[in-house]
Amino acid sequence: MRSSIAALGVVVLSAGLLASVSTTATAAPHNPERDALTAATAALTAHRADFAGGSGDAYQVYRTVLDPNGASHVRYTRTYQGLRVYGGDFIVHNGAGGAFTGASNGLAAPLTLSTRADVPAAAAAKAARGQFHGSAAKVGTPELIVDAADGRGALAWETVVEGLAPDGQTPSKLHVVTDARTGAVRGSFDDVKHAVGTGNSLYLGSVPVDTTLSGSTYTMIDPSHGNGNTCDMNNGSSTCTNFTDPDNTWGTGTNANRQSAAVDAHVGAAMTFDYFKNVHGRNGIFGNGAGVPSRVHYGSNYVNAFWDGAQMTYGDGNNKPLVSIDVAGHEMSHGVTESVVSGGLTYSGESGGLNEGTSDIFGNMVEFYAANAADPGDYNVGEKIDINGNGTPLRYMYNPTLDGSSHGCWSTSTKNVDVHYSSGVANHFFFNLAEGTGATAYGTSPICGSAPGVVGIGRTKAEKIWWKALDAYFTSNTSYVNTTTPANTSRAYTLTAATDLYGSCSLEYKAVQAAWTAVNVAGNDAPCFSQDFSLSASPTSGSVNPGGSLTSTISTATTNGAAQTVTFSATGAPAGVSVTFAPSSVTSGASSTATITTTGSVVPGSYPITITGTGTVAVHTATYTLTVNGPPGCSGTNSSDVAIPDNATVTSTIVISGCTGNATATSTVAVSILHTYIGDLVVSLVAPDGTAYVLHNRAGGSADNIIQTYTVNLSSEVANGAWKLQVQDAATADVGTIDTWTLNLGGGGPVGCSGTNGNDVAIPDNATVSSSIVLAGCTGNASATSTVAVSILHTYIGDLVVTLVAPDGSTYILHNRAGGSADNINQTYTVNLSTEVRNGTWKLQVQDAAAADVGTIDSWTLTL
């Protein structure tokens, strides 16, 4: 994505939901990142409500953050029925021992929507072109997505229009989101966000410049900062020539020498690189040690600077090139935000204000870090470049309203202003947190309303809190105030960051609370007690045979004030399970042993038990997940009725124990589900590792009940563990019951040669694609009862012809334009392949034979 200074012109995972996922567990040395991913994968199944997981979802790891204390934060992107979910990213947080501690999530509820568009792509493209102001050079092909930027999912088209802004010089890459039901424009954002020799710079005086010598010529390529280079656009918009010099003395400190502006840009890139590396431990802008290209003298009297996702570009302004160090830090911080947060902080509304605010914050912190006497640190944005022509800065962090447009206090209209002006709320908060309110050395910071004054905690702590919140907690649609998902706010996440760094209800935590209140951003924070403690369980889960017992250590620690007496209790244990504590109460700082005892009559299953510590002043909880094993063997039955409410997802569990090794390729799932409209239902088998196998996906229309046995290839799954039958009612007006189901992991016959291809293959409109499986080492011919299990995501399966192509070119049609407007093909076909040799390259060929719909080959399995 791109950014500008001025407002002028990851492994596909399933949470036991729709998409199939396999994970491989092997004995290996301790690896913190692997352990974090393992813990996060387990949380996807056990805690899907925390990130609004639904049965149409699939997830991909975006990045993993590891804290020094062993805690972890794993970011995921989300798809729904194969469609990208804009605003659906989330973060799984686990403590030092791998225990789940929460999730950052922007969705208010699991997604349940049809993926068939009423508005054609061509209409979306036309609407997007109408939103572009300037000279459009290219209108991209609309992509069907789920727009959940507001916390609720809606089917939409995203179209990218590229060209030049009305000034004729600024590149523009405008993303326009239109409703796929009504055609209305839902929103838009632009990828272009406006805004060692000796160098004689324009703004920094004489400074050292890292360059590269080749022969007898020096080039502005910085070997100390990832080989970032600085080049001359020669007041054009295409060709950029590297600056070279024979004596390694650059510029004169005036505009008369074109090198002078380059010195500022080159040093700005180096200082920004060093700031993020030395202060926050990030290896450069992109996190990979690579340097940033900087392009100066762009356009003709171009009064702007921008980041385009890969490089910096600076205009010359009105005789004052926009190469000041805070501008450089601002723009390149956009690159950091885009790399850290999946999709970046969406560049519109309040999340866009947080995006700009983040760049203002870190741009100014880079200026302080540089500690250059010619341009000392302050809380003004762009004060050196004089865009306004009267010596005033672009923005004032201590009192944002001084620029005449920015919001210094949050209001319900903040989301409607330009992101450079809604950034004022974040800027004002940060100033208050670092320096305090009232008169300061940098200006007077006013208080919003009747909020109490704030005593600052200093820049060092403030910048670390903001970085921690961005790095580990912000999602793409985090905002200041959010009534749909109140936890997905900058206030909540900076408080969590302050807790991580300095402790709950610490001085720093309370300063964050006060600083947000001072800019009129309220929250539903837990009260800070004068005495407080923390509570944790270790281990956080365990498995036991009926009649057995387990223990867990319940630890407490005093986090604020004096120690207090904490008394323990437990809730959520099923019939036949009791929890006792020894001792039953402790003084905070001590621990107790929880003993979980089961009787022989307890029903096998997985049960979350809440451990509560009730203190003299505060109350805290921890969760222990108890798994009660079923009878030894490779099969089990759960006949306990589970109601299926309207528009809800429920599960029923069978615990397999005493079954050696993996399940077989011919495992069976026999289900009896009573329901009055089975076309509403998505039925999945969820393996112990969270992998989901779709058995029934909204087929059958108005027929009653599903009484059927499914054969499933579970050969990649360890047999022992808690298996779940998950049933989602995805439409209104009908309800039902899981009556009974039986899981047999021993299979019903010999295992044949098989293979799976889980790589996604896009199915464009009116096109033919294929996915291959190569079998080798099998003997003889395939069987007369060979099976082809396919998972194809598509919004109109009546368009599709699906064919199995044997190694010798013979074709076997599996699906021929049946199903009309139904979504997706999730089906196992039995095919007589007894005339075909098993070994060779087999292909699943999918033809989209009509216009208006696209899809994806998600995965397919061939068993011969």
Side-chain angles (χ1 to χ4, degrees), residues 721-739:
W723 295 77
K724 295 181 180 180
L725 186 73
Q726 176 178 281
V727 180
Q728 178 196 12
D729 184 303
T732 57
D734 291 83
V735 295
T737 304
I738 301 176
D739 182 48

Side-chain angles (χ1 to χ4, degrees), residues 14-26:
S14 153
L17 307 176
L18 178 62
S20 294
V21 175
S22 61
T23 56
T24 303
T26 57

Side-chain angles (χ1 to χ4, degrees), residues 176-366:
V176 181
V177 180
T178 52
D179 196 293
R181 303 291 185 205
T182 66
V185 175
R186 293 179 59 86
S188 64
F189 61 92
D190 204 315
D191 276 351
V192 180
K193 301 180 185 70
H194 305 289
V196 186
T198 299
N200 298 300
S201 70
L202 294 176
Y203 305 124
L204 301 175
S206 179
V207 289
V209 181
D210 286 325
T211 59
T212 299
L213 175 64
S214 177
S216 60
T217 301
Y218 294 91
T219 304
M220 261 195 193
I221 297 175
D222 187 345
S224 302
H225 301 89
N227 290 319
N229 70 294
T230 302
C231 60
D232 189 348
M233 293 295 291
N234 298 293
N235 299 110
S237 60
S238 55
T239 303
C240 200
T241 307
N242 272 343
F243 282 96
T244 60
D245 191 270
D247 60 7
N248 210 20
T249 297
W250 305 82
T252 62
T254 69
N255 278 331
N257 187 307
R258 299 182 71 83
Q259 293 180 354
S260 300
V263 170
D264 285 275
H266 203 65
V267 172
M271 284 296 166
T272 304
F273 188 109
D274 284 345
Y275 169 76
F276 280 103
K277 183 175 184 179
N278 296 333
V279 176
H280 301 302
R282 181 172 179 79
N283 193 13
I285 306 307
F286 307 105
N288 60 4
V292 171
S294 299
R295 309 188 304 170
V296 299
H297 302 304
Y298 174 87
S300 177
N301 297 115
Y302 182 63
V303 190
N304 219 326
F306 60 84
W307 169 263
D308 67 6
Q311 60 193 353
M312 275 301 307
T313 301
Y314 302 92
D316 285 341
N318 296 316
N319 298 314
K320 286 211 170 188
L322 280 71
V323 290
S324 66
I325 195 165
D326 58 348
V327 171
H330 171 107
E331 296 300 345
M332 283 178 274
S333 292
H334 280 302
V336 173
T337 297
E338 291 162 10
S339 296
V340 167
V341 180
S342 171
L345 281 160
T346 301
Y347 206 60
S348 61
E350 291 187 8
S351 60
L354 284 167
N355 191 318
E356 275 295 317
T358 295
S359 283
D360 281 349
I361 289 166
F362 288 136
N364 272 272
M365 293 304 99
V366 169

Side-chain angles (χ1 to χ4, degrees), residues 483-760:
T483 57
T484 303
T485 51
N488 187 33
T489 63
S490 53
R491 176 173 175 134
Y493 292 147
T494 49
L495 284 170
T496 304
T499 299
D500 290 350
L501 295 170
Y502 305 109
S504 176
C505 289
S506 59
L507 174 69
E508 295 80 4
Y509 180 97
K510 293 175 182 177
V512 171
Q513 286 182 311
W516 281 120
T517 300
V519 296
N520 199 37
V521 173
N524 56 353
D525 324 326
C528 280
F529 299 104
S530 57
Q531 293 175 257
D532 206 357
F533 68 95
S534 63
L535 181 75
S536 63
S538 180
T540 58
S541 62
S543 299
V544 66
N545 293 325
S549 64
L550 297 164
T551 62
S552 178
T553 299
I554 311 303
S555 299
T556 67
T558 302
T559 59
N560 198 40
Q564 59 187 289
T565 301
V566 180
T567 302
F568 301 107
S569 60
T571 56
V577 174
S578 61
V579 182
T580 58
F581 299 92
S584 58
S585 63
V586 299
T587 299
S588 57
S591 62
S592 173
T593 298
T595 301
I596 301 97
T597 304
T598 67
T599 66
S601 62
V602 64
V603 176
S606 182
Y607 305 100
I609 298 174
T610 300
I611 309 296
T612 300
T614 303
T616 308
V617 177
V619 177
H620 294 287
T621 62
T623 300
Y624 181 90
T625 301
L626 171 68
T627 298
V628 180
N629 298 325
C634 294
S635 64
T637 296
N638 189 332
S639 57
S640 298
D641 288 355
V642 177
I644 307 170
D646 206 17
N647 272 305
T649 300
V650 298
T651 60
S652 175
T653 302
I654 291 174
V655 179
I656 300 295
S657 59
C659 186
T660 304
N662 282 17
T664 70
T666 52
S667 299
T668 59
V669 188
V671 303
S672 175
I673 297 173
L674 309 179
H675 199 274
T676 50
Y677 198 103
I678 65 172
D680 289 357
L681 300 183
V682 180
V683 183
S684 303
L685 175 70
V686 184
D689 67 359
T691 303
Y693 299 83
V694 177
L695 309 177
H696 172 97
N697 191 8
R698 302 196 64 178
S702 62
D704 292 345
N705 308 330
I706 302 175
I707 301 174
Q708 188 170 340
T709 298
Y710 301 90
T711 300
V712 188
N713 182 353
L714 300 177
S715 57
S716 64
E717 303 290 345
V718 174
N720 287 336
W723 295 77
K724 295 181 180 180
L725 186 73
Q726 176 178 281
V727 180
Q728 178 196 12
D729 184 303
T732 57
D734 291 83
V735 295
T737 304
I738 301 176
D739 182 48
T740 184
W741 69 291
T742 298
L743 176 66
N744 183 352
L745 301 182
V751 179
C753 275
S754 66
T756 297
N757 189 332
N759 295 322
D760 289 356

